[in-house]
Amino acid sequence: MAEKLPDNVFLTTLDAAASWARKNSLWPMPFATACCGIELMATASSRFDLARFGAEVMRFSPRQCDLMIVAGRVVMKMLPVLQRIWMQMPEPKWCISMGACACTGGVFDTYAVVQGVDRFIPVDLYVPGCPPRPEQLIAALIEMQDIVQKTGTHNGREFGRRTTATGPIPIELDEIRRSREALPIVDLPIYNSPNLN
Amino acid sequence: MLDTAAFVARFNGSTSEFRDNRRAIVPAAKLSEAASALKTEFGFDMLVDVTAVDYLEYEGATDRFGVVYCLLNTTTGERVILKTFVNDPDPALPSVYSLWKGADWMEREVFDMFGIKFEGHPDLRRILMPDEFTAFPLRKDYPLKGRGERHNFPVITRAES
Ligand code: SF4
């Protein structure tokens, strides 16, 4: 069949075509809570121009987004909101954790600041720095396009296997003790956990 | 011009001064009376701030919490700091909401961070911390890293989102 095709026609799988379309039209959900959010804004500005990568359509409605960019520190009062927004984003979706605070809590090792959002939502890419420069975010976005192309989410095989939290496990003894002692907060109105069975 | 020494003498209080910072220190039982005198007699019509200090293990301190009201007379520009002390186990003060409406959120904040109750406050809820939070983070005996509150959220994995 391939021999009969004209030169300007290509054959591919639907999965690859869908992934290719997705990677070139990422719609970010800016979850910008602090100084890193300003860098995120700068990335979208004319000087750095995120639009070159098809990712300039920042949407503040989770239903229209497929890439969450957590930029800035997340406090425990904000985490249920972050989790709900993540749950409201339609599949397939990805997450970039931008800056030291979103990745690890940064210098804010205090009672209120979550020590890495990846402990509570899945994160695909980490951008180091405090704050990261816009170029770093753009580099992460290019990397993300690669991930989107490769993981092929046509039927979600890749994600279905990821049933454990992606975040680092606590290594500090004090941290381990605290997380064991911590009682789960009951009656927290976050989301209704989907039934997987 | 308020004569702080003569003023606190009416309430068995004391006074202190640092540069142009005048403090009227009154016992907790006399707080309402002193506050309303400051408002009605001396024209301190604006409550600039309400905050608290935890004197746990502070050298020479006899009381646990100091509660501080910063007052301003908007006509003359005169300022005074009204201060009082409360103690464990159940620190409570009468609310000054009926005198200054601005006390609403400020008293809620002091309640949220220090656990000092304000009797007569119309809506004493937490304001900065989430409602589920049980501790009072600005008390000196609360650990900086918390008691595990920041760890105990449900975890969302890739498979279930
Ligand atoms: S990583 Fe640095 S720049 Fe980014 S939110 Fe944290 S403190 Fe701000």
Side-chain angles (χ1 to χ4, degrees):
Chain A
M1 184 175 109
E3 285 156 19
K4 293 213 179 106
L5 282 174
D7 283 351
N8 54 357
V9 174
F10 299 93
L11 284 180
T12 181
T13 59
L14 180 58
D15 204 8
S19 297
W20 176 81
R22 278 180 189 131
K23 89 167 195 192
N24 289 304
S25 64
L26 286 167
W27 286 29
M29 163 84 219
F31 195 89
T33 50
C35 8
C36 274
I38 311 292
E39 297 295 312
L40 175 59
M41 289 180 227
T43 317
S45 73
S46 54
R47 179 158 176 178
F48 299 99
D49 198 11
L50 203 59
R52 289 176 291 163
F53 307 95
E56 89 275 33
V57 200
M58 301 258 179
R59 281 297 135 104
F60 299 92
S61 149
R63 295 283 180 217
Q64 300 172 347
C65 300
D66 55 1
L67 171 66
M68 176 175 261
I69 302 179
V70 185
R73 62 197 86 104
V74 177
V75 293
M76 53 173 287
K77 198 172 177 176
M78 209 60 189
L79 189 73
V81 181
L82 175 69
Q83 288 186 325
R84 183 187 296 162
I85 291 177
W86 174 258
M87 295 303 283
Q88 283 173 344
M89 284 166 60
E91 285 278 2
K93 57 193 170 188
W94 297 271
C95 180
I96 291 179
S97 163
M98 176 183 178
C101 289
C103 297
T104 66
V107 296
F108 305 97
D109 195 2
T110 69
Y111 60 90
V113 179
V114 169
Q115 303 295 298
V117 291
D118 49 5
R119 292 185 183 184
F120 302 104
I121 64 164
V123 170
D124 294 282
L125 264 177
Y126 302 85
V127 187
C130 176
R133 282 196 53 89
E135 289 92 334
Q136 278 175 273
L137 183 61
I138 289 174
L141 202 95
I142 295 171
E143 186 90 349
M144 179 56 73
Q145 291 184 327
D146 221 37
I147 293 176
V148 174
Q149 178 72 66
K150 280 190 191 133
T151 49
T153 51
H154 186 54
N155 54 13
R157 274 163 315 193
E158 202 263 342
F159 294 154
R161 288 196 297 273
R162 285 157 69 174
T163 51
T164 46
T166 42
I169 37 173
I171 43 164
E172 227 180 286
L173 281 178
D174 185 47
E175 195 81 64
I176 294 170
R177 182 176 58 77
R178 275 174 209 281
S179 52
R180 288 229 184 93
E181 277 174 8
L183 298 170
I185 297 175
V186 285
D187 303 333
L188 194 64
I190 298 177
Y191 65 97
N192 293 323
S193 185
N195 189 356
L196 297 174
N197 304 315
Chain B
M1 187 79 179
L2 171 73
D3 180 356
T4 23
F7 176 75
V8 294
R10 282 164 53 187
F11 305 101
N12 317 325
S14 58
T15 171
S16 70
E17 201 164 326
F18 179 73
R19 298 202 178 149
D20 56 351
N21 221 330
R22 295 178 302 147
R23 309 186 193 105
I25 302 156
V26 298
K30 296 277 174 69
L31 178 79
S32 293
E33 222 180 303
S36 85
L38 282 173
K39 167 140 191 218
T40 51
E41 287 173 40
F42 299 97
F44 286 97
D45 50 354
M46 180 173 171
L47 180 63
V48 178
D49 198 9
V50 180
T51 185
V53 187
D54 188 351
Y55 286 108
L56 185 72
E57 288 167 31
Y58 189 83
E59 213 174 304
T62 49
D63 299 280
R64 170 99 196 244
F65 300 106
V67 182
V68 183
Y69 299 81
C70 304
L71 299 171
L72 169 70
N73 181 333
T74 52
T75 325
T76 60
E78 193 185 356
R79 282 170 194 268
V80 72
I81 290 162
L82 181 65
K83 188 167 176 182
T84 189
F85 294 98
V86 280
N87 282 293
D88 275 340
D90 191 19
L93 277 176
S95 171
V96 294
Y97 175 77
S98 52
L99 295 170
W100 297 282
K101 291 283 173 287
D104 188 350
W105 284 10
M106 296 193 266
E107 285 181 349
R108 274 176 69 186
E109 187 177 338
V110 172
F111 165 70
D112 192 359
M113 293 322 225
F114 292 92
I116 297 168
K117 291 210 178 62
F118 290 90
E119 280 143 14
H121 188 285
D123 182 26
L124 200 62
R125 283 178 294 131
R126 286 189 170 270
I127 186 168
L128 297 175
M129 304 307 294
D131 290 341
E132 307 83 24
F133 210 78
T134 49
F136 303 111
L138 286 193
R139 288 192 175 186
K140 289 271 168 69
D141 52 4
Y142 182 76
L144 176 66
K145 294 185 186 180
R147 298 217 175 90
E149 288 90 349
R150 61 188 186 181
H151 300 295
N152 48 11
F153 290 93
V155 179
I156 299 175
T157 67
R158 192 48 117 163
E160 64 178 340
S161 57

